[in-house]
Amino acid sequence: MKPTPAEIAAAADRTIPDVAGPNLRVLFSGINPSLYSAATGHHFARPGNRFWPALHRSGFTPRLLHPSEQFELPAMGLGITNVVARATARADELSPDELIKGGAALDNNVRKIRPTYLAVLGVTAYRTAFAKPKATMGPQDDTVGERPVWVLPNPSGLNAHYTVDTLAGAFRELLDSLPSTS
């Protein structure tokens, strides 16, 4: 059910529980939840966000999932978390200090979950959170929580540099790099 404008406004600073489980191949980390996502309780729920279409078109999921179906992901070896837990209207409302603290919390979270890869969705947030000012898209030379990191484009509809197809292509590069599960 679509939240009302009042419900969306009231979601400021809320958090959303992680979607995780054992033996994750990829833990996707958004920057932080949108107000829309916090109002619904579902990651990447804001209309116009391209996470779910890119996840499907890249081959990570066998069909296009609705954000309300997020809890199907762990059975597919996938999970979702955020660098910063608190919801805002826009990611640029987060301070550098908040991103740095969120990066430390994400490091601890990844140590517990132990995915094959951590995929951070947003190069600018990654650069700030992990003090990697020259980081680019794709696999990184360092780790977070002792796990390899892959930086993907932010799927927000506000990121006009990427279409669903170019996002799916970037996601597919990560999928193709994963060890075989057979």
Side-chain angles (χ1 to χ4, degrees), residues 43-136:
H43 294 273
F44 303 106
R46 183 181 177 90
N49 191 296
R50 286 95 38 100
F51 175 78
W52 298 101
L55 199 65
H56 171 61
R57 288 190 194 178
S58 66
F60 271 108
T61 60
R63 65 179 177 82
L64 177 60
L65 298 175
H66 184 269
S68 64
E69 297 175 295
Q70 65 187 14
F71 296 108
E72 293 184 25
L73 291 177
M76 297 177 210
L78 307 173
I80 304 174
T81 189
N82 286 288
V83 176
V84 174
R86 122 183 138 83
T88 61
R90 294 173 54 108
D92 62 9
E93 294 175 31
L94 302 172
S95 70
D97 186 55
E98 197 169 7
L99 285 165
I100 292 165
K101 287 179 182 172
L106 180 58
D107 185 270
N108 288 332
N109 197 17
V110 171
R111 286 176 194 277
K112 292 175 193 162
I113 297 172
R114 303 198 48 78
T116 302
Y117 264 102
L118 171 66
V120 178
L121 303 169
V123 70
T124 303
Y126 176 78
R127 288 172 180 160
T128 302
F130 298 101
K132 301 291 181 185
K134 296 184 187 221
T136 59

Side-chain angles (χ1 to χ4, degrees), residues 3-21:
T4 66
E7 290 169 329
I8 293 169
D13 299 328
R14 280 193 200 156
T15 62
I16 303 174
D18 291 345
V19 174

